[in-house]
Amino acid sequence: MCLSKKFKFNLVVLFAIVFVFNGCKDHDYIPKPIGQVRLEYPNPKYKLFSPPNCPFEFEYSDLLVIKDRKEPCWFNFYYPNMKATVYITYSSVNNDLNSLIKEAQRLVYEHTIKANSINTKSFMYPDKKVYGNLYKIGGESASNIQFYVTDSIHNFISGNLYFRVQPKPDSLSPAIDYVERDIIKMIETTTWK
């Protein structure tokens, strides 16, 4: 299809006029502020968890849903709003405390492939005979927190935090910090029956 020279010229002039009038407007562009998603979680109220036929008790957040597991004294503490679960397992100590601790530490250090840091916090409450470690695992590891608590003679509790989402440390950080406070509360309030 052949267009006339006059039509082509008029078309170019029309585009130029539209460009000039649109380009000459005084626009006040305001850049968007840099922002982060702010996740706020409610302040928990703590209740006593004292399962029958188990030799321990501790306080836990009322925001949790507790589910029994197949083994006696094993529980899942589920955070429905975060898609997070703290898996609690209990073992009685039968002259095998070192192997129980080594197994708990082995589970922690399995995550070194994806972890960029592992920070350890130790707990010692000799008056209650409560001793333990909490491991906060940084990076894109599957488990973000692991811990164990023992009286070093009869009882050993271990726990692992897992989220049912792809591990993204930046976006999970507020949730991890929130659950960490609850886990520390569990450890600090642990007593043996």
Side-chain angles (χ1 to χ4, degrees):
M1 183 155 107
C2 187
L3 297 175
S4 69
K5 288 183 183 179
K6 186 176 180 183
F7 180 75
K8 288 182 187 177
F9 176 76
N10 287 341
L11 193 58
V12 170
V13 170
L14 178 64
F15 281 126
I17 291 171
V18 169
F19 179 75
V20 168
F21 282 114
N22 281 336
C24 293
K25 290 183 182 175
D26 187 20
H27 294 286
D28 290 332
Y29 291 104
I30 301 173
K32 290 184 179 181
I34 297 173
Q36 302 291 327
V37 175
R38 183 174 175 158
L39 301 173
E40 292 185 14
Y41 301 106
N43 288 330
K45 293 180 179 116
Y46 293 100
K47 303 189 296 189
L48 184 65
F49 179 67
S50 184
N53 304 319
C54 296
F56 60 87
E57 59 186 17
F58 52 77
E59 292 182 16
Y60 72 101
S61 169
D62 64 345
L63 303 173
L64 293 168
V65 175
I66 302 172
K67 298 178 182 177
D68 286 345
R69 289 170 48 198
K70 293 179 182 175
E71 296 292 323
C73 299
W74 289 23
F75 302 94
N76 293 349
F77 288 79
Y78 178 62
Y79 289 83
N81 295 336
M82 293 184 217
K83 296 181 181 177
T85 304
V86 177
Y87 297 91
I88 301 287
T89 60
Y90 171 80
S91 301
S92 60
V93 176
N94 297 313
N95 294 324
D96 60 349
L97 179 63
N98 285 337
S99 64
L100 290 170
I101 291 173
K102 284 181 183 178
E103 176 63 14
Q105 291 173 339
R106 184 190 66 77
L107 292 173
V108 169
Y109 290 102
E110 273 185 354
H111 296 282
T112 56
I113 295 169
K114 293 282 189 173
N116 59 21
S117 66
I118 298 176
N119 297 318
T120 306
K121 181 184 264 189
S122 295
F123 297 88
M124 291 193 309
Y125 304 104
D127 55 321
K128 299 189 313 178
K129 294 184 173 85
V130 174
Y131 311 94
N133 281 340
L134 180 138
Y135 303 93
K136 190 168 183 181
I137 304 165
E140 294 185 0
S141 64
S143 177
N144 305 101
I145 295 177
Q146 297 194 18
F147 65 95
Y148 69 85
V149 180
T150 183
D151 64 359
S152 72
I153 300 170
H154 302 290
N155 304 297
F156 188 86
I157 299 171
S158 63
N160 308 296
L161 168 65
Y162 287 91
F163 287 88
R164 259 191 3 234
V165 296
Q166 185 175 0
K168 298 283 185 190
D170 291 341
S171 58
L172 283 179
S173 182
I176 294 167
D177 292 344
Y178 182 85
V179 175
E180 180 185 15
R181 286 189 292 272
D182 284 352
I183 290 172
I184 290 173
K185 182 74 169 179
M186 288 177 178
I187 294 170
E188 290 175 341
T189 60
T190 297
T191 56
W192 311 109
K193 295 181 187 175

